[in-house]
PDB file of all heavy atoms in Angstrom:
ATOM      1  N   LYS S  70     -18.582   9.194 -19.130  1.00 33.00           N
ATOM      2  CA  LYS S  70     -18.730  10.652 -19.003  1.00 33.00           C
ATOM      3  C   LYS S  70     -17.406  11.352 -19.307  1.00 33.00           C
ATOM      4  O   LYS S  70     -17.365  12.501 -19.708  1.00 33.00           O
ATOM      5  CB  LYS S  70     -19.163  11.055 -17.599  1.00 33.00           C
ATOM      6  CG  LYS S  70     -20.612  10.610 -17.286  1.00 33.00           C
ATOM      7  CD  LYS S  70     -20.914  11.006 -15.822  1.00 33.00           C
ATOM      8  CE  LYS S  70     -22.289  10.459 -15.404  1.00 33.00           C
ATOM      9  NZ  LYS S  70     -22.564  10.762 -13.980  1.00 33.00           N
ATOM     10  N   ASP S  71     -16.309  10.684 -19.021  1.00 35.00           N
ATOM     11  CA  ASP S  71     -14.986  11.338 -19.139  1.00 35.00           C
ATOM     12  C   ASP S  71     -14.266  10.780 -20.330  1.00 35.00           C
ATOM     13  O   ASP S  71     -13.443   9.901 -20.248  1.00 35.00           O
ATOM     14  CB  ASP S  71     -14.187  11.066 -17.882  1.00 35.00           C
ATOM     15  CG  ASP S  71     -12.910  11.890 -17.879  1.00 35.00           C
ATOM     16  OD1 ASP S  71     -12.974  13.084 -18.115  1.00 35.00           O
ATOM     17  OD2 ASP S  71     -11.863  11.290 -17.669  1.00 35.00           O
ATOM     18  N   LYS S  72     -14.538  11.304 -21.527  1.00 32.00           N
ATOM     19  CA  LYS S  72     -13.961  10.802 -22.745  1.00 32.00           C
ATOM     20  C   LYS S  72     -12.493  11.173 -22.895  1.00 32.00           C
ATOM     21  O   LYS S  72     -11.731  10.451 -23.499  1.00 32.00           O
ATOM     22  CB  LYS S  72     -14.752  11.364 -23.950  1.00 32.00           C
ATOM     23  CG  LYS S  72     -16.193  10.970 -23.886  1.00 32.00           C
ATOM     24  CD  LYS S  72     -16.492   9.855 -24.845  1.00 32.00           C
ATOM     25  CE  LYS S  72     -17.963   9.570 -24.778  1.00 32.00           C
ATOM     26  NZ  LYS S  72     -18.418   8.948 -25.974  1.00 32.00           N
ATOM     27  N   GLU S  73     -12.150  12.359 -22.405  1.00 41.00           N
ATOM     28  CA  GLU S  73     -10.763  12.763 -22.565  1.00 41.00           C
ATOM     29  C   GLU S  73      -9.893  12.247 -21.438  1.00 41.00           C
ATOM     30  O   GLU S  73     -10.408  11.852 -20.402  1.00 41.00           O
ATOM     31  CB  GLU S  73     -10.605  14.269 -22.677  1.00 41.00           C
ATOM     32  CG  GLU S  73     -10.365  14.803 -24.084  1.00 41.00           C
ATOM     33  CD  GLU S  73      -9.419  13.962 -24.907  1.00 41.00           C
ATOM     34  OE1 GLU S  73      -8.273  13.730 -24.516  1.00 41.00           O
ATOM     35  OE2 GLU S  73      -9.818  13.479 -25.974  1.00 41.00           O
ATOM     36  N   SER S  74      -8.604  12.243 -21.694  1.00 41.00           N
ATOM     37  CA  SER S  74      -7.713  11.423 -20.893  1.00 41.00           C
ATOM     38  C   SER S  74      -6.782  12.187 -20.005  1.00 41.00           C
ATOM     39  O   SER S  74      -6.945  13.295 -19.671  1.00 41.00           O
ATOM     40  CB  SER S  74      -6.932  10.514 -21.832  1.00 41.00           C
ATOM     41  OG  SER S  74      -6.116  11.308 -22.620  1.00 41.00           O
ATOM     42  N   ILE S  75      -5.722  11.461 -19.648  1.00 49.00           N
ATOM     43  CA  ILE S  75      -4.721  11.933 -18.729  1.00 49.00           C
ATOM     44  C   ILE S  75      -4.152  13.300 -19.205  1.00 49.00           C
ATOM     45  O   ILE S  75      -3.804  14.141 -18.394  1.00 49.00           O
ATOM     46  CB  ILE S  75      -3.603  10.905 -18.655  1.00 49.00           C
ATOM     47  CG1 ILE S  75      -4.166   9.642 -18.038  1.00 49.00           C
ATOM     48  CG2 ILE S  75      -2.421  11.376 -17.923  1.00 49.00           C
ATOM     49  CD1 ILE S  75      -3.249   8.463 -18.089  1.00 49.00           C
ATOM     50  N   ALA S  76      -4.092  13.509 -20.472  1.00 43.00           N
ATOM     51  CA  ALA S  76      -3.440  14.737 -20.975  1.00 43.00           C
ATOM     52  C   ALA S  76      -4.193  15.996 -20.590  1.00 43.00           C
ATOM     53  O   ALA S  76      -3.699  17.109 -20.761  1.00 43.00           O
ATOM     54  CB  ALA S  76      -3.319  14.656 -22.475  1.00 43.00           C
ATOM     55  N   ALA S  77      -5.427  15.855 -20.043  1.00 47.00           N
ATOM     56  CA  ALA S  77      -6.200  17.016 -19.641  1.00 47.00           C
ATOM     57  C   ALA S  77      -5.760  17.596 -18.322  1.00 47.00           C
ATOM     58  O   ALA S  77      -6.208  18.654 -17.889  1.00 47.00           O
ATOM     59  CB  ALA S  77      -7.683  16.661 -19.569  1.00 47.00           C
ATOM     60  N   SER S  78      -4.865  16.920 -17.630  1.00 49.00           N
ATOM     61  CA  SER S  78      -4.458  17.336 -16.286  1.00 49.00           C
ATOM     62  C   SER S  78      -3.451  18.451 -16.319  1.00 49.00           C
ATOM     63  O   SER S  78      -2.275  18.281 -15.968  1.00 49.00           O
ATOM     64  CB  SER S  78      -3.881  16.121 -15.515  1.00 49.00           C
ATOM     65  OG  SER S  78      -4.776  15.067 -15.512  1.00 49.00           O
ATOM     66  N   LYS S  79      -3.841  19.608 -16.757  1.00 41.00           N
ATOM     67  CA  LYS S  79      -2.921  20.744 -16.963  1.00 41.00           C
ATOM     68  C   LYS S  79      -2.288  21.208 -15.662  1.00 41.00           C
ATOM     69  O   LYS S  79      -1.182  21.706 -15.658  1.00 41.00           O
ATOM     70  CB  LYS S  79      -3.669  21.905 -17.645  1.00 41.00           C
ATOM     71  CG  LYS S  79      -4.093  21.569 -19.065  1.00 41.00           C
ATOM     72  CD  LYS S  79      -4.747  22.792 -19.729  1.00 41.00           C
ATOM     73  CE  LYS S  79      -5.184  22.420 -21.143  1.00 41.00           C
ATOM     74  NZ  LYS S  79      -5.833  23.586 -21.819  1.00 41.00           N
ATOM     75  N   SER S  80      -3.028  21.011 -14.546  1.00 44.00           N
ATOM     76  CA  SER S  80      -2.482  21.466 -13.263  1.00 44.00           C
ATOM     77  C   SER S  80      -1.211  20.721 -12.856  1.00 44.00           C
ATOM     78  O   SER S  80      -0.441  21.144 -12.051  1.00 44.00           O
ATOM     79  CB  SER S  80      -3.526  21.325 -12.161  1.00 44.00           C
ATOM     80  OG  SER S  80      -3.859  19.970 -11.974  1.00 44.00           O
ATOM     81  N   GLU S  81      -1.015  19.545 -13.432  1.00 46.00           N
ATOM     82  CA  GLU S  81       0.178  18.770 -13.181  1.00 46.00           C
ATOM     83  C   GLU S  81       1.294  19.037 -14.182  1.00 46.00           C
ATOM     84  O   GLU S  81       2.266  18.311 -14.245  1.00 46.00           O
ATOM     85  CB  GLU S  81      -0.157  17.283 -13.175  1.00 46.00           C
ATOM     86  CG  GLU S  81      -1.143  16.861 -12.125  1.00 46.00           C
ATOM     87  CD  GLU S  81      -1.421  15.394 -12.176  1.00 46.00           C
ATOM     88  OE1 GLU S  81      -0.630  14.636 -11.619  1.00 46.00           O
ATOM     89  OE2 GLU S  81      -2.390  14.991 -12.781  1.00 46.00           O
ATOM     90  N   GLY S  82       1.139  20.079 -14.975  1.00 44.00           N
ATOM     91  CA  GLY S  82       2.184  20.423 -15.923  1.00 44.00           C
ATOM     92  C   GLY S  82       2.185  19.502 -17.137  1.00 44.00           C
ATOM     93  O   GLY S  82       3.269  19.215 -17.688  1.00 44.00           O
TER      94      GLY S  82
END
Side-chain angles (χ1 to χ4, degrees):
K70 291 178 186 177
D71 188 51
K72 299 256 182 157
E73 256 320 302
S74 65
I75 295 171
S78 307
K79 293 183 180 180
S80 62
E81 295 180 84

